[in-house]
Amino acid sequence: MTKKEIKQRIEKLKKEINYHRYLYHVLDRQEISESALDSLKHELYKLEQENPEFITKDSPTQRVGGVPLDKFEKVRHEKRMLSLEDVFSKEEFEDWERRNKKIYPSGKYEYFGELKIDGFAISLIYKNGVLEVAATRGDGVVGEDVTQNIKTIESIPLSLQVHDVFVDNKNIEKYKKNIEKIIKKGTLNIKGEVYMTKEVFEQINRQREKSGEPPYANPRNTAAGSIRQLDPNIARSRKLEFLAYAITTDFGHKTHKDEHDMLKVLGFKTDKYASLFKNSNEVEKFWEEILKKRDSLPYQIDGLVININDNKTFQMLGVVGKAPRGAIAFKFPAEEATTIVCDVSVQVGRTGVLTPVAHLKPINVGGTVVSRASLHNYDEIRRLGLKIGDTVVVQRSGDVIPKVVKVFENLRTGKEKEIKEPKKCPICFSDVKKDKNGVILRCENKKCPAKSRESLHHFVSKKAFDIDGLGPKILDKLSDIGLISDFADIFFLTEGDLVPIERFAEKSAKNLIEAIKSKKEIELAKFLYALGILHVGEETAILLAKYLAKKSKIKKPSDVLSAFDKETEESLQEIPDIGPKAAESIKNYFKDKHNREVLQKLNDAGIIIKSPKISSQANLLEGKVFVLTGELKSFTRDEAKNIIRDLGGKVSSSVSSNTDFVVVGENPGSKLQKAEKLKIKTLSEEDFLKIIKK
Ligand code: IVH
């Protein structure tokens, strides 16, 4: 970049960052996540460091805080509510320690570390032991009074009392006396984080999707939105939680651990992983350990908060800008980052849907280098306003395919190219058609090679017919030479068909035919999943199978046809988790002439379907929610899950107040502690066996 171009980029970045800061801090709205904004700030910071002549006083890198909303009453914080500086690596963490030791060499450098929950900070003021005000942080000096909404959070005590809980602290009796005095007469200030669990968030979104509303972006925003709106009934319905992390009132305490212990004594929920660390090395190990656990935790975290444990050292180090030197946010790799879209290609899936895929300038997102991202459909491209060459936000979470979630139009140079919606399938050049809602593009050609190939791969995959030795390469070859054009053809293959094909020795041809034969018997759920019906994933297929098996005897593919012929879109929606979209897609699938022919062909091939057993015990566990933890001796995880489902129960991956039973195997995980905490009934493997054998 020339100096002129650098200056222009800096100006555009500053404008963009300021815009998002304003949205976030002033209007309580957010178009991009904090980590995406951090990515932009990071680029600006780097450019400014390399070109200091372009640093101006009004640059976002030079400013602190925002302005509060006036939707709620304003509350002036007694002491300024500070925030934290971030570090992203061990090196940066060790630099922080080194700097502090230089500033205050005689300090005690032990640390108290806890999880940094991705929610938002709330300050609670208890006057004479009773909750008087709950306020948001605002700009740190003035926040908003959200007391009515906060009072709906059950884990926040409305009045304080000293609880009889064990804490490992020899000074606790002395502290309890001090606290009791403050509770009687005085003010106590507690700080903590309001958040929403992943499970509640997903429930809300499932509900929204069912009623045709757009899903919320993430638990943090949803929690913040629930508190910063004026109706306490909405806040209550959102099942928010509160985790306390600080007492900023002096109760004679000497360390941060004292605060944590006292919070427990006062009946607040605190981070169960929080602990004391003798040195930075121990902290770094903790960071690694929690990073591994991150995805399995019931709430989102974005790192650790590390406090110098000794209050005197903490205070001597003082505050710089908006943050105390004595504490730091030791963040995990961000799950969002910014990069450039170099190109957009089109993929044709097994249902014929044309999906645009963004080719990205490779970027590290949350520890993995990403070069492709799904764009879902052309409506999404229009919604994003995406052009080739744009700077975008890429989001990754867990194992899902990364997505483009935001375009920075202000960073355009003018050289960006429009993305054209294809009129023809890129594989077979047939016409494409839009669905009823005008969103999804489909290749109309039933025999489109891309379509049949994808559906063939799906049909033989592990969770479907699970045919060993029939990998994508062989399937592609077989369709190239016209031996198979739909998945029923697989069952009509003979050794003689295979042997002339390159790579097939007589023996392997024989083995493959044997393998295919041995898979002619299949469970109904797997059969339904194998068909590749739009919106029918593994879980939905299990529910459908149970529903159908209760109503009629299904032994062969033609029985499946007649069973679905009796259903309507309305009747299918009685099945849990099946909404209007899935019901419509199922009905359409079985109405389609070509699909009916393929099912009939499967019938002729002698496919045998095993229906789930609907025993007299089918309702034994009706409506009961189970969570499994640890290893079971008598069955695998999947077998145990199937047994529960067959008996009418549900299996959930995390423990919550909705859980009825936690089945505890050997070496149980943290789910056991959670169950004990929530007083949820636990079952040993023997107890579980007894119940299911009743
Ligand atoms: S201590 C001086 N502890 O992270 C501020 N903060 O980046 C002291 N947060 O504003 C904060 N979990 O909203 C602390 N265990 C934890 C936290 C935590 C989440 C949030 C909090 C704070 C922000 C700082």
Side-chain angles (χ1 to χ4, degrees), residues 269-311:
K269 202 157 82 172
T270 57
D271 171 24
K272 67 172 180 191
Y273 295 99
S275 21
L276 200 56
F277 302 97
K278 292 250 168 301
N279 51 46
S280 53
N281 210 348
E282 283 189 11
V283 171
E284 289 166 4
K285 278 196 199 126
F286 180 57
W287 186 83
E288 275 169 11
E289 191 189 310
I290 299 294
L291 180 55
K292 277 191 213 133
K293 285 206 173 88
R294 182 186 193 180
D295 284 344
S296 63
L297 291 171
Y299 39 77
Q300 287 193 332
I301 58 170
D302 58 354
L304 303 178
V305 173
I306 307 298
N307 268 279
I308 290 179
N309 192 41
D310 177 51
N311 281 359

Side-chain angles (χ1 to χ4, degrees), residues 94-157:
E94 286 161 19
D95 281 349
W96 169 73
E97 175 172 72
R98 216 169 295 129
R99 274 200 309 274
N100 286 339
K101 284 187 172 168
K102 216 167 152 191
I103 294 171
Y104 186 54
S106 55
K108 268 197 212 158
Y109 289 93
E110 275 188 358
Y111 300 103
F112 192 80
E114 46 195 311
L115 307 198
K116 187 170 184 304
I117 308 253
D118 206 6
F120 67 105
I122 286 286
S123 161
L124 304 174
I125 308 285
Y126 288 85
K127 284 239 160 85
N128 304 332
V130 177
L131 178 62
E132 194 169 278
V133 181
T136 62
R137 179 175 177 276
D139 65 355
V141 180
V142 179
E144 297 92 48
D145 181 337
V146 288
T147 316
Q148 287 312 311
N149 284 345
I150 287 296
K151 276 185 167 175
T152 67
I153 302 175
E154 302 269 354
S155 54
I156 296 180

Side-chain angles (χ1 to χ4, degrees), residues 1-3 6-7 9-10 13 41-55 61:
M1 273 199 277
T2 64
K3 277 277 172 196
I6 292 172
K7 190 161 185 253
R9 179 82 180 170
I10 286 182
L13 282 167
K41 280 192 212 158
H42 198 251
E43 185 187 343
L44 175 61
Y45 180 76
K46 251 181 78 188
L47 283 176
E48 285 183 342
Q49 291 301 307
E50 287 160 4
N51 305 277
E53 69 271 31
F54 296 141
I55 301 181
T61 56

